[in-house]
Amino acid sequence: MTIRSTRRTVLAAGAAGAAALLAGCSEYGNENGGGEAESPAPEETSGKSPGEAPAGEELARTTDIPVGGGKIFKDEQVVVTQPEQGEFKAFSAICTHQRCTVANVSDGTINCTCHGSKFRVSDASVADGPATRPLPEEKIAVTGNSIRLA
Protein backbone atom coordinates (compact mmCIF):
# COMPACT_ATOMS: atom_id res chain seq x y z
CA MET A 1 0.00 0.00 0.00
CA THR A 2 1.34 3.39 -0.98
CA ILE A 3 0.44 6.52 0.97
CA ARG A 4 0.31 9.57 -1.18
CA SER A 5 0.89 12.99 0.31
CA THR A 6 -1.42 15.71 -0.74
CA ARG A 7 -0.29 19.27 -1.10
CA ARG A 8 -2.38 20.20 1.95
CA THR A 9 -0.69 17.61 4.24
CA VAL A 10 2.79 18.65 3.09
CA LEU A 11 2.06 22.32 3.79
CA ALA A 12 0.52 21.53 7.18
CA ALA A 13 3.50 19.39 8.17
CA GLY A 14 5.92 22.11 7.04
CA ALA A 15 4.12 24.77 9.08
CA ALA A 16 4.11 22.55 12.17
CA GLY A 17 7.83 21.84 11.74
CA ALA A 18 8.62 25.54 11.37
CA ALA A 19 6.64 26.36 14.52
CA ALA A 20 8.50 23.66 16.45
CA LEU A 21 11.83 24.97 15.16
CA LEU A 22 11.02 28.54 16.25
CA ALA A 23 9.88 27.37 19.67
CA GLY A 24 13.06 25.36 20.13
CA CYS A 25 15.31 28.22 19.07
CA SER A 26 13.77 30.93 21.25
CA GLU A 27 15.31 31.56 24.64
CA TYR A 28 13.46 30.84 27.86
CA GLY A 29 11.78 34.09 28.89
CA ASN A 30 12.34 35.70 25.49
CA GLU A 31 8.96 37.20 24.63
CA ASN A 32 9.79 38.06 21.03
CA GLY A 33 9.48 34.44 19.90
CA GLY A 34 12.78 34.53 18.07
CA GLY A 35 11.47 36.96 15.47
CA GLU A 36 13.83 39.77 16.36
CA ALA A 37 17.54 39.29 16.94
CA GLU A 38 18.93 40.56 20.20
CA SER A 39 22.47 41.76 20.74
CA PRO A 40 24.56 39.30 22.69
CA ALA A 41 25.30 40.32 26.25
CA PRO A 42 28.83 41.64 26.70
CA GLU A 43 31.14 39.30 28.52
CA GLU A 44 31.98 40.27 32.05
CA THR A 45 35.64 40.04 32.91
CA SER A 46 35.39 41.54 36.37
CA GLY A 47 32.82 42.20 39.06
CA LYS A 48 31.74 45.43 37.39
CA SER A 49 29.10 45.94 34.73
CA PRO A 50 30.33 46.88 31.25
CA GLY A 51 30.74 50.65 30.99
CA GLU A 52 31.21 51.20 34.70
CA ALA A 53 34.30 51.82 36.78
CA PRO A 54 34.16 50.09 40.15
CA ALA A 55 32.53 52.30 42.77
CA GLY A 56 35.05 54.65 44.34
CA GLU A 57 37.76 54.00 41.75
CA GLU A 58 39.23 57.17 40.30
CA LEU A 59 38.48 57.65 36.62
CA ALA A 60 40.71 60.69 36.06
CA ARG A 61 42.28 63.74 37.64
CA THR A 62 40.72 67.11 36.84
CA THR A 63 44.03 68.16 35.27
CA ASP A 64 43.67 65.31 32.73
CA ILE A 65 40.59 66.94 31.15
CA PRO A 66 41.32 69.99 28.97
CA VAL A 67 39.08 73.07 29.18
CA GLY A 68 36.81 73.09 26.11
CA GLY A 69 37.65 69.46 25.44
CA GLY A 70 37.51 66.07 27.01
CA LYS A 71 38.94 62.60 27.35
CA ILE A 72 37.50 59.23 26.31
CA PHE A 73 37.72 56.25 28.67
CA LYS A 74 37.11 53.30 26.33
CA ASP A 75 37.13 50.57 28.99
CA GLU A 76 34.41 52.39 30.95
CA GLN A 77 32.64 53.57 27.74
CA VAL A 78 32.55 57.12 29.09
CA VAL A 79 33.75 60.49 27.85
CA VAL A 80 34.44 63.24 30.41
CA THR A 81 34.40 66.86 29.26
CA GLN A 82 35.24 70.24 30.77
CA PRO A 83 33.17 72.76 28.78
CA GLU A 84 34.31 75.63 31.02
CA GLN A 85 37.00 75.91 33.69
CA GLY A 86 35.97 73.77 36.68
CA GLU A 87 32.77 72.40 35.05
CA PHE A 88 32.98 68.64 34.42
CA LYS A 89 30.43 66.50 32.61
CA ALA A 90 30.29 62.86 31.58
CA PHE A 91 28.47 61.13 28.74
CA SER A 92 28.29 57.70 27.20
CA ALA A 93 31.12 57.13 24.72
CA ILE A 94 28.79 55.01 22.55
CA CYS A 95 27.47 56.92 19.54
CA THR A 96 23.67 57.03 19.30
CA HIS A 97 23.79 56.54 15.52
CA GLN A 98 25.27 53.05 15.06
CA ARG A 99 26.76 52.30 18.52
CA CYS A 100 30.42 52.88 17.59
CA THR A 101 32.72 54.13 20.34
CA VAL A 102 33.48 57.81 19.83
CA ALA A 103 37.05 58.38 18.68
CA ASN A 104 38.22 61.78 19.91
CA VAL A 105 37.34 65.16 21.40
CA SER A 106 38.47 68.27 19.53
CA ASP A 107 37.31 71.76 18.62
CA GLY A 108 34.48 71.64 21.18
CA THR A 109 32.94 68.39 19.94
CA ILE A 110 32.99 64.69 20.78
CA ASN A 111 33.60 62.98 17.44
CA CYS A 112 32.54 59.61 16.12
CA THR A 113 34.62 58.77 13.10
CA CYS A 114 32.50 55.77 12.05
CA HIS A 115 29.98 57.95 10.21
CA GLY A 116 30.96 61.53 11.11
CA SER A 117 28.59 62.35 13.97
CA LYS A 118 29.67 65.15 16.32
CA PHE A 119 28.34 66.01 19.77
CA ARG A 120 28.86 69.24 21.76
CA VAL A 121 31.14 68.93 24.82
CA SER A 122 28.77 71.12 26.86
CA ASP A 123 25.69 68.87 26.74
CA ALA A 124 26.40 66.06 24.21
CA SER A 125 23.69 67.40 21.90
CA VAL A 126 24.13 66.65 18.20
CA ALA A 127 26.34 69.22 16.45
CA ASP A 128 26.50 67.27 13.18
CA GLY A 129 24.71 64.08 12.04
CA PRO A 130 23.89 61.45 10.99
CA ALA A 131 23.15 60.91 14.71
CA THR A 132 19.84 62.46 15.74
CA ARG A 133 19.96 61.87 19.51
CA PRO A 134 22.45 63.24 22.07
CA LEU A 135 24.85 61.02 23.97
CA PRO A 136 23.28 59.89 27.25
CA GLU A 137 24.59 61.63 30.37
CA GLU A 138 26.63 59.64 32.90
CA LYS A 139 26.93 60.55 36.58
CA ILE A 140 30.30 61.58 37.98
CA ALA A 141 31.50 62.91 41.29
CA VAL A 142 34.29 65.49 41.40
CA THR A 143 36.05 65.71 44.76
CA GLY A 144 39.11 67.90 44.91
CA ASN A 145 41.24 66.90 41.92
CA SER A 146 39.59 63.48 41.52
CA ILE A 147 36.85 62.47 39.05
CA ARG A 148 34.95 59.27 39.79
CA LEU A 149 31.91 57.64 38.23
CA ALA A 150 29.01 57.96 40.66
Side-chain angles (χ1 to χ4, degrees), residues 22 25-26 30-38:
L22 274 175
C25 290
S26 67
N30 182 355
E31 300 302 321
N32 70 11
E36 196 173 346
E38 292 186 84

Side-chain angles (χ1 to χ4, degrees), residues 40-56:
E43 289 184 31
E44 288 194 41
T45 55
S46 68
K48 66 178 183 161
S49 298
E52 289 184 19

Side-chain angles (χ1 to χ4, degrees), residues 48 52-65 71-76 78 80 88 139-150:
K48 66 178 183 161
E52 289 184 19
E57 184 177 308
E58 185 175 82
L59 185 61
R61 308 291 287 167
T62 56
T63 54
D64 296 337
I65 313 300
K71 184 173 179 180
I72 298 165
F73 299 91
K74 289 188 182 193
D75 289 344
E76 293 80 11
V78 171
V80 176
F88 296 92
K139 294 182 190 251
I140 55 171
V142 180
T143 306
N145 196 28
S146 179
I147 301 172
R148 301 174 191 279
L149 285 176

Side-chain angles (χ1 to χ4, degrees), residues 15-145:
L21 179 62
L22 274 175
C25 290
S26 67
E27 293 181 34
Y28 175 76
N30 182 355
E31 300 302 321
N32 70 11
E36 196 173 346
E38 292 186 84
S39 300
E43 289 184 31
E44 288 194 41
T45 55
S46 68
K48 66 178 183 161
S49 298
E52 289 184 19
E57 184 177 308
E58 185 175 82
L59 185 61
R61 308 291 287 167
T62 56
T63 54
D64 296 337
I65 313 300
V67 176
K71 184 173 179 180
I72 298 165
F73 299 91
K74 289 188 182 193
D75 289 344
E76 293 80 11
Q77 298 179 338
V78 171
V79 58
V80 176
T81 65
Q82 186 177 187
E84 295 184 29
Q85 181 70 43
E87 177 187 8
F88 296 92
K89 297 191 173 201
F91 308 100
S92 170
I94 306 301
C95 181
T96 57
H97 174 242
Q98 291 288 322
R99 302 210 35 85
C100 292
T101 302
V102 295
N104 61 64
V105 182
S106 64
D107 300 322
T109 59
I110 303 163
N111 308 304
C112 180
T113 57
C114 285
H115 300 104
S117 293
K118 296 181 180 215
F119 305 89
R120 293 175 185 86
V121 295
S122 59
D123 60 3
S125 61
V126 177
D128 194 15
T132 58
R133 293 176 289 125
L135 296 173
E137 189 172 352
E138 297 286 339
K139 294 182 190 251
I140 55 171
V142 180
T143 306
N145 196 28

